[in-house]
Amino acid sequence: MILPIVGYGDPVLRKVCEKVSKDYPNLNEAIQNMYDTMYNASGVGLAAPQVGLPIRIFIVDTDPFSDSDDISEEEAALLKGFKKTFINAKMISEEGEEWSFNEGCLSIPDVREDVYRNEKITIEYFDEDFNKKTEVYDGLIARVIQHEYDHIEGILFTDKISTFKKQLIKKKLQNIMEGKARPDYRMKLVTKKR
C-alpha cells in the first residue's frame, strides 16, 4: 500500500526512533508498504519516520543510480540491484575522506543541496528476517545508508549544510510547512493534509 510521505516540519522527523522487536505488529506489511511508497515516489531510500512511524527501520534500493554517467562501471555494478532493509541499525564507524554529493529527500521536495559525508561506513543491523549483520560500504551506497540512518536519529540533510545555504532554502522549507509543496506523490503536510 502506498502511504503519504511525511513533510518537513512534522515532529516525527525529529524523533530519535525506537527499536523494534521481531513481534512488532504487521512488521512485514509495514516494510512492504515502505517499499511501495518509495518506488511510487521514485526514491532510492526511505526511513520509517517518513511514513509516520518513529521506529528504527529504513530501506534502500540504489538501482536508479546505476544508470548514471558520472560513475565507474564497477560502482554501477554495485549499485544495480542493491536493495536492503535495515532494522535497528547502529552506525559503528564513518571514516575516510569527506566528499560532496547533491542530496534530496522525499520529505523535503524540490530542495537539493551538496552535503559532505565520509566515504566509508561500518554498520550493524538486522535484516527483515532478523538476522544480525555487520557490513562495510563505501561510495554512493554508503551515502544513501548514511542519509537514511540520519532519519532514524532525527537528523535531516538540511542540518548538514551551511548557515548561508539554510538561509537560501528557508522560503522553500516554509512553503512545504504551509502545504504549498506539489510533488507528484502523496504527502502528509504539517498544516494541510492532501
Side-chain angles (χ1 to χ4, degrees):
M1 180 170 65
I2 296 166
L3 304 171
I5 292 174
V6 172
Y8 180 87
D10 191 303
V12 74
L13 295 176
R14 292 303 188 176
K15 287 189 187 236
V16 175
C17 295
E18 301 286 326
K19 285 186 174 181
V20 294
S21 62
K22 273 186 200 178
D23 55 359
Y24 183 85
N26 305 316
L27 179 62
N28 290 337
E29 184 184 340
I31 292 168
Q32 186 55 54
N33 289 345
M34 286 175 64
Y35 276 106
D36 292 346
T37 302
M38 177 182 75
Y39 292 136
N40 179 66
S42 302
V44 293
L46 188 72
Q50 292 181 275
V51 291
L53 300 172
I55 55 176
R56 295 185 77 80
I57 297 177
F58 63 87
I59 59 171
V60 299
D61 185 341
T62 59
D63 199 65
F65 282 146
S66 67
D67 294 334
S68 173
D69 296 331
D70 301 336
I71 58 172
S72 68
E73 281 183 35
E74 183 186 3
E75 186 158 27
L78 291 172
L79 293 164
K80 187 131 196 88
F82 183 86
K83 175 183 172 181
K84 278 189 188 282
T85 301
F86 293 79
I87 300 173
N88 298 336
K90 180 180 174 192
M91 194 67 74
I92 305 299
S93 70
E94 295 176 89
E95 54 198 3
E97 214 166 300
E98 286 195 347
W99 62 290
S100 171
F101 187 80
N102 194 256
E103 292 188 20
C105 179
L106 297 176
S107 292
I108 313 174
D110 303 322
V111 175
R112 298 195 64 86
E113 290 295 335
D114 288 343
V115 176
Y116 283 87
R117 296 188 188 272
N118 295 92
E119 62 188 346
K120 184 176 176 185
I121 62 165
T122 303
I123 191 164
E124 183 180 278
Y125 68 99
F126 292 88
D127 65 16
E128 59 273 7
D129 299 319
F130 266 82
N131 297 310
K132 191 174 187 178
K133 306 197 175 234
T134 302
E135 295 173 341
V136 177
Y137 297 106
D138 60 13
L140 275 173
I141 289 174
R143 176 169 292 274
V144 174
I145 292 169
Q146 286 166 309
H147 178 110
E148 299 309 327
Y149 181 82
D150 278 353
H151 273 297
I152 64 170
E153 292 290 325
I155 299 166
L156 300 174
F157 85 92
T158 50
D159 299 339
K160 296 183 174 285
I161 62 175
S162 70
T163 307
F164 175 68
K165 289 277 179 78
K166 284 178 187 166
Q167 283 298 334
L168 293 178
I169 63 168
K170 195 174 181 179
K171 182 67 177 153
K172 285 183 177 181
L173 297 178
Q174 190 62 41
N175 284 343
I176 295 167
M177 290 193 291
E178 291 173 3
K180 296 176 185 168
R182 294 283 174 259
D184 57 0
Y185 48 87
R186 278 179 57 219
M187 286 196 79
K188 177 183 171 242
L189 300 165
V190 179
T191 57
K192 179 178 165 187
K193 294 177 175 68
R194 7 182 250 149

